Amino acid sequence: NGAQLYETLFVLSGKTPPGKIKGSGGDEKKKDLLLQLLTQYDELLNFLKGHGCLLNTVKPEFLLSITDYARYLKMDPYSLQLKPKQIERRHPYYSLDCWITLFYQVLKVFYLSRVNPKSFKTLPGMPEKKATIDETIHGSNIYSVSEALLLKWLTVHWEQMNSLTPRRISNFDEDLRDGLVLASVIQSHFGQCKSLQNLRQQCSLDEHYTSNAHKLINAIEGEIGMQTHLTPQDIASSSPSARELSLFVLQLYQTLPHFIPKAVIEFSGTLGDTVSRKIELSNPTNKVINYWVKLEGKEASDFKIDTEQDTIRIEPKGTYEFDVRFTSRVSRPVKARIVFTNKKEGNVQAAAMVFELKSKILARKTLEVHNMASRLYEAKSIDIEIENPFPHDVEFAVSVEHEKVARQAGAVSKPKGKQMGGAKKPKEKKSTSVEEEDIFPSPFSLRMDRDRIKLKRGEKRPITLQFLPFELEVHRCYVVLADERVGEIQHEIIGTTELPTPIPGLSNRDPVFAGTSQVFEIALNHKNTQLDKARQLVADRLRKGDKLKRPSDAESTNYEIEVTNPSYNCPMQVTILDPFKASRKPGGGTGTKEATPSMNRSINISNDNLQPLGSERRLDTGISQAPSTIMAMLPENANKLQVNFAPKRIGNSQCYIILRSDNRADIRVYEINLSVIAQPVKAALEFSCPARQTITQEIPFDNKSDRDWLIKVQANQDKELNAFAFGKDFVAKRKSFASYPIVFRPKWTQKVTAKLSLQNTVTSEVYEFDLVGQGEEPLATDHIVLECSAKVPKKHKIKLSNPNDKVPLTYTVESDLNNIAGDETFIIPPKSEKWYEFEITPLLSGSYVGSITFYDEEGQFVWYTVEVVTGKPNHVDSLELSTFVRKACSVEISLRNPLEEPLEFDVNYFGGG
């Protein structure tokens, strides 16, 4: 009663067509049942026609059984009345044709329509660039869009498997008859099948087509586990059915993408450990699903499942956890696939599920860690003692796995300690391009005649490993010794790379003064001889036919510059020209602005107190240069590096100038050693002091060092004047403060000059002083105070000396005091002392200040200040006056003026009257 068709429609569309009857009763209801069946089929046909099925030749009565059809003819007076034999002869033809047409239309509308452009673009296994919808898909007048997509699907997978013999699949009969296209589709999704390995590529006889068809059916049913209604004869027939083969292709289109692994299950761990992973499967339907379980792959034996778990059963709406175990033998990745295919029980059909199993070894057990160091471009060797730790004789395949650890800007520091367990983590390995690996070959190489070594149980044997770094990094390598039958061991080597051996850059015997600046030139060679020698060593160890790729030989190479000493200043970049290539350019230049060496830039010096640049010096680096005729064709400043040296401290100044090319393929170090001495510290000291007086200037020394300083003194002055007094050499104690005195003692009013040099013999510092002394007029030798009475003479003596031991000293005496008397000249014998006496008679009372000066024959003088304190004079006469009370009397006092000019006296009265 059409139950299979209704079930098919429900599975394909998810809907139940209207009009389906529930069941049948007794014989009395056969007539009603017949009418219900006719109504059911009529509504079914209307439903299908409404969805696009072409069913004009299908009538409801042709879908009835032969018995019901005979009843229908009897019930319908308008129908053709046929005899039973006629009905038996015609009904199978009508019924078979209608039911086949009905099922094919249902498959075309509800099953084939699932093949559409949207699902085609996201179909697993389809390359993204090939999953395009061109005009041939929509423009065909023979095939529908879905059928055209199936043909393109076949074409794409054929080209994937047979890229050298592309072809376009244009039909479902002749193009599929030899089975090669269908086999390519299967292998593209499922992988290599044993049944499809020996297909005949050129089929000319029927048995050739039949043989390929048999192998194809065996692969589908035996290895993949699919069920098909086709036989080998259906495929290999001389006129295969395009409709049947298109349905078969549709079945492959819906089934094979499920054999592309849904996920990669990774078994990560340490070599030799057993790792277990669980695969969780779920059943979202309301029916029980059964799966066959199978491991596939060349190395599937490393993965284990329970032998009792060849089949699994998943309950409705349930889940199932499937356990897979892996025991690692080797460190390389091991791959396999686990396939879950439907075990058909009843009418339940479940899609296949495939998971890829992949091992990932995170660590090996390192037996020993070896540390070594080498300069860039220099080879060092180390002997590693290999021991067989296994209980069997082994034949190890020896390999070296290189791993970069860290890139360093300068000298590379040594690694701190060892990693726990010597774990090798491939995920930390830096990915490098093929070009970079060629330019920077692996620094580690085995010095062995062959890459295998045989060891008996417990035997030891050394192998030599060479370390030749080309990159300024810390390198790590693993010497892996693997025997597929027994196991693996490894030794870890950590290679520390240091800067290359310095190239002599500047060597100057003449010392440079601290605090000044000088400009030097370093001649740069366009070739790095250290690098060329190292690359030649690598080229010699390569096998015949292998070539070591060199960096591209350009006309110019840009270098970044690093300076290790802040006292040196140079451009941050420099361009080195190849003289043999640049000289071919017209005019000898490179023809581009970029090729102009960057050392033409101005150099900024941070020290604002530097003096103007001194003379330039060009010093040879000792590196062979190109012929002078070729070098002369380069620009004037080409292949030269200007270095400005502005030292601030004394001593030996060492500097490394590091040049790094843009691609880090060329690193050079230029060494500079220059001697720096202290620039003499010059200062001028001015002294101003009265003649025959003394002043002292202290020069401080603060010794904060841990050594005593011996200060040597050198002085130069006019010995006749001898105005300055200098001390002897002295020591400034460590961690203490000291001073050096300078004494200025002028003999007379004149300008005196001298030079003083103080040299620190420990630090080589020199301090030079220009001394200028100005003698001023002498101060009064003494202050004399004379106390006397007016008009009463007072005598006083002054003691004078003559320091000259040969010539007597004659003084001329002058004074600004009134009423003073004494010798006008005064002679003192050589080297003796003499008193000079003078007398003064003050006429007026009061206090007077004056001076007395002694001039010698050269105009020099000695003078004294004299203070005269004069009391009132005694009375000249005594006059007695008498008179009566209240009666006046008078008296006259005679005064005499001895001078020639009039005098005016002030009259003062003292007393009670």
Side-chain angles (χ1 to χ4, degrees), residues 235-457:
I235 300 174
S237 173
S238 58
S239 56
S241 172
R243 183 172 65 180
E244 297 301 325
L245 288 180
S246 64
L247 283 177
F248 180 62
V249 172
L250 179 60
Q251 182 185 9
L252 295 179
Y253 180 90
Q254 297 290 351
T255 305
L256 289 181
H258 293 289
F259 285 92
I260 294 178
K262 297 182 178 297
V264 177
I265 300 175
E266 191 173 73
F267 294 79
S268 58
T270 305
L271 185 65
D273 292 348
T274 298
V275 183
S276 178
R277 293 287 184 269
K278 293 185 180 296
I279 302 175
E280 184 177 286
L281 306 176
S282 61
N283 178 10
T285 67
N286 295 320
K287 298 181 180 180
V288 177
I289 297 179
N290 294 278
Y291 283 106
W292 293 102
V293 184
K294 182 171 59 174
L295 285 171
E296 296 179 347
K298 295 181 180 180
E299 299 171 316
S301 59
D302 289 347
F303 299 89
K304 302 295 182 182
I305 59 175
D306 292 339
T307 55
E308 299 178 357
Q309 286 187 300
D310 291 344
T311 62
I312 61 172
R313 175 186 176 91
I314 306 178
E315 299 297 330
K317 303 293 183 180
T319 58
Y320 189 93
E321 289 187 349
F322 192 83
D323 187 51
V324 182
R325 298 180 303 281
F326 170 74
T327 303
S328 57
R329 294 182 299 105
V330 292
S331 58
R332 59 178 176 82
V334 175
K335 296 182 180 179
R337 299 198 314 171
I338 184 169
V339 182
F340 297 89
T341 54
N342 180 54
K343 181 181 179 182
K344 190 171 182 180
E345 294 182 358
N347 57 356
V348 178
Q349 182 71 27
M353 289 185 294
V354 178
F355 298 91
E356 183 178 353
L357 309 179
K358 182 180 179 181
S359 68
K360 183 178 182 181
I361 303 304
L362 299 178
R364 299 188 191 96
K365 296 178 180 179
T366 299
L367 296 183
E368 188 176 356
V369 179
H370 310 269
N371 290 282
M372 62 185 308
S374 176
R375 289 186 177 272
L376 203 63
Y377 313 133
E378 293 184 9
K380 291 292 181 65
S381 298
I382 184 174
D383 290 334
I384 303 174
E385 189 176 69
I386 304 301
E387 181 180 2
N388 178 12
F390 301 105
H392 307 284
D393 295 346
V394 295
E395 183 178 1
F396 285 132
V398 187
S399 62
V400 176
E401 298 181 2
H402 173 224
E403 176 183 342
K404 300 175 186 176
V405 179
R407 183 178 294 274
Q408 300 292 332
V412 181
S413 60
K414 294 184 179 180
K416 297 180 180 180
K418 303 178 181 179
Q419 293 186 353
M420 184 64 67
K424 171 184 176 292
K425 299 183 179 180
K427 66 179 181 180
E428 296 180 356
K429 204 169 186 177
K430 290 188 178 180
S431 61
T432 55
S433 62
V434 176
E435 182 178 358
E436 184 179 354
E437 286 292 346
D438 290 339
I439 297 178
F440 300 117
S442 173
F444 298 98
S445 62
L446 290 171
R447 314 302 292 169
M448 299 173 59
D449 296 334
R450 54 193 302 266
D451 57 0
R452 289 185 173 273
I453 180 173
K454 293 183 178 180
L455 294 176
K456 295 182 180 181
R457 184 176 62 179

Side-chain angles (χ1 to χ4, degrees), residues 543-600:
R543 298 177 180 177
K544 293 183 178 179
D546 296 338
K547 292 184 178 180
L548 180 63
K549 185 173 180 180
R550 295 181 60 87
S552 59
D553 294 331
E555 295 180 2
S556 61
T557 305
N558 295 325
Y559 291 83
E560 295 179 0
I561 299 178
E562 178 186 350
V563 181
T564 61
N565 191 329
S567 297
Y568 295 80
N569 194 305
C570 66
M572 299 302 295
Q573 291 183 347
V574 68
T575 300
I576 300 180
L577 304 179
D578 187 342
F580 297 97
K581 293 188 176 182
S583 61
R584 300 191 187 106
K585 291 278 186 178
T590 61
T592 60
K593 293 182 179 180
E594 287 78 0
T596 302
S598 60
M599 67 277 290
N600 288 334

Side-chain angles (χ1 to χ4, degrees), residues 145-158:
V145 173
S146 298
E147 291 169 332
L149 289 174
L150 289 178
L151 292 175
K152 183 171 183 177
W153 179 68
L154 294 174
T155 302
V156 169
H157 287 286
W158 167 266

Side-chain angles (χ1 to χ4, degrees), residues 84-103:
K85 290 184 178 181
Q86 292 176 321
I87 294 174
E88 291 176 0
R89 187 173 63 252
R90 294 185 179 185
H91 178 269
Y93 171 77
Y94 293 145
S95 179
L96 181 62
D97 182 71
C98 289
W99 277 109
I100 290 177
T101 301
L102 186 62
F103 268 97

Side-chain angles (χ1 to χ4, degrees), residues 25-44:
D27 294 339
E28 67 278 10
K29 296 184 179 180
K30 289 183 178 180
K31 184 178 180 179
D32 295 336
L33 178 61
L34 179 59
L35 295 176
Q36 292 178 9
L37 286 174
L38 289 173
T39 303
Q40 170 186 293
Y41 290 137
D42 185 61
E43 292 182 2
L44 175 62

Side-chain angles (χ1 to χ4, degrees), residues 755-771:
K755 290 185 177 296
L756 172 65
S757 175
L758 302 178
Q759 181 181 5
N760 189 332
T761 58
V762 177
T763 63
S764 300
E765 295 176 340
V766 177
Y767 304 92
E768 294 181 355
F769 298 93
D770 291 330
L771 308 179

